[in-house]
Amino acid sequence: MKRVTIRVPATTANLGPGFDAFGCALSLYTDVTFEETEEGLEITGCDEEFTGPDNLAYVSYCAALATMSEELRGIKIHIDSQIPVCRGLGSSAALLVAGAMGANVLRGNKLSTQGLLNITNAMEGHPDNLAPAFYGGLTASMVDNGLPVCVNFPLHPDWEFLALVPDFTLPTTVARQALPTEYDRADAVYNIAHGALVLKALELGDEKLLRNAMQDRIHQPYRKKMISDYDKIESLIRTTGAAFCLSGAGPTLLCITRNPGLEEKLARKIHDITEANWQMLPLHVEFQGARVISQE
Ligand code: HSE
């Protein structure tokens, strides 16, 4: 029976003003092994509640098989994930990417990466986590006529990322429900301008420009109310000079800096000012997207 293991990086979406458009792959990983069997479905390596047919890796695996007009046979799926679940670091996108890629590899690589992106975007609804998960690095994406179009952007090599991950979850569906359905023109203009400058600042390695540009009027002002400690942590990070944003839909908060030692600087203070328990994860950019790490 054929077997493949797919490794997918964590991703941070939005990067402040780039709501549903910008994303970046980070150095945490989900490995998913797919092994074809005679019949049935067996899922291991995750909480019992995710071991049924609505598991995202399996749903995506089935969708890719259907697109290829391939027969669904039995499958064993084992998930080994470092990515915190439901925290805004792309754990769901990683499973969707792994499922589609796993099916594609097991059935002869009939689909291109763009084809896999199309399938997974139809399930996720926005490509900002999926694009960096597939392609690695920094990406910006648009959806045109229902299909995602994604490009990589250059990134200065000296950036360091520090993810602050709380001990509570915030489901993306809940975080999206908190957003307005209409915005003022001034807010739209604000985000377009800030978004363009975020990309340039990330390319140049300009921390001051990034700090100023990484502000948003589309999602963060509405979501921060659901994240205890947000204002206190933002104020603390602003004293360090690092750029700051919500990671994806939250609740993880992301700091981006070129100055080493941010973790040590924050560690001494963060526990004194916060109510929740915040874990600090120092990360770097992952320039390689989803890939096969073993195949039999
Ligand atoms: N762009 C998405 C959002 C990312 O902010 O809701 C989370 O899936």
Side-chain angles (χ1 to χ4, degrees):
M1 286 293 172
K2 288 196 286 182
R3 191 164 113 137
V4 66
T5 302
I6 309 290
R7 171 164 294 174
V8 188
T11 47
T12 184
N14 302 328
L15 293 162
F19 178 69
D20 276 3
F22 299 171
C24 188
L26 297 171
S27 54
L28 278 178
Y29 304 92
T30 291
D31 293 348
V32 187
T33 301
F34 299 86
E35 183 176 359
E36 291 193 318
T37 59
E38 293 298 335
E39 61 181 40
L41 168 67
E42 187 184 332
I43 301 178
T44 54
C46 58
D47 285 351
E48 179 72 27
E49 61 179 306
F50 301 121
T51 57
D54 54 355
N55 178 286
L56 292 177
Y58 181 65
V59 170
S60 181
Y61 176 86
C62 294
L65 288 186
T67 304
M68 294 186 282
S69 302
E70 284 277 330
E71 182 197 0
L72 174 62
R73 299 193 280 265
I75 189 82
K76 266 192 207 174
I77 299 176
H78 180 71
I79 299 167
D80 180 6
S81 186
Q82 303 173 326
I83 307 176
V85 175
C86 223
R87 299 295 206 290
L89 287 166
S91 61
S92 303
L95 292 177
L96 291 174
V97 168
M101 191 175 266
N104 195 37
V105 173
L106 287 174
R107 302 298 172 91
N109 284 305
K110 293 180 179 151
L111 297 171
S112 64
T113 304
Q114 178 68 47
L116 299 177
L117 185 62
N118 295 350
I119 293 166
T120 50
N121 187 57
M123 289 182 278
E124 176 106 314
H126 40 85
D128 47 339
N129 288 102
L130 297 168
F134 274 116
Y135 295 113
L138 172 66
T139 57
S141 309
M142 63 182 181
V143 180
D144 209 25
N145 289 322
L147 293 178
V149 180
C150 306
V151 292
N152 275 107
F153 277 75
L155 256 180
H156 195 280
D158 290 350
W159 290 118
E160 300 195 6
F161 290 71
L162 182 66
L164 306 178
V165 186
D167 57 4
F168 58 88
T169 59
L170 177 55
T172 298
T173 45
V174 174
R176 290 181 85 81
Q177 279 161 10
L179 305 184
T181 52
E182 293 180 359
Y183 292 89
D184 282 348
R185 180 167 61 184
D187 291 344
V189 171
Y190 183 95
N191 268 60
I192 292 166
H194 282 70
L197 271 67
V198 159
L199 293 177
K200 198 65 187 171
L202 286 169
E203 176 186 344
L204 296 174
D206 186 333
E207 188 163 344
K208 180 164 180 256
L209 181 62
L210 185 65
R211 194 166 60 237
N212 291 336
M214 199 163 251
Q215 302 193 66
D216 160 71
R217 291 188 183 169
I218 299 287
H219 71 113
Q220 293 182 175
Y222 306 97
R223 288 171 162 171
K224 67 181 196 174
K225 299 166 194 154
M226 295 183 287
I227 299 168
S228 68
D229 305 322
Y230 183 106
D231 287 329
K232 282 184 274 186
I233 292 176
E234 180 176 17
S235 302
L236 174 61
I237 289 162
R238 293 222 175 272
T239 66
T240 69
F244 167 86
C245 64
L246 196 57
S247 183
T252 291
L253 305 176
L254 190 69
C255 313
I256 308 178
T257 184
R258 290 185 58 180
N259 293 313
L262 181 62
E263 184 185 2
E264 291 71 34
K265 271 185 219 156
L266 294 182
R268 277 184 266 121
K269 296 180 185 156
I270 198 159
H271 297 297
D272 295 341
I273 61 164
T274 54
E275 289 161 25
N277 189 23
W278 293 80
Q279 181 192 7
M280 285 190 265
L281 289 179
L283 301 170
H284 57 80
V285 175
E286 171 55 80
F287 286 97
Q288 208 183 342
R291 63 239 190 217
V292 174
I293 55 167
S294 79
Q295 192 172 3
E296 288 168 20

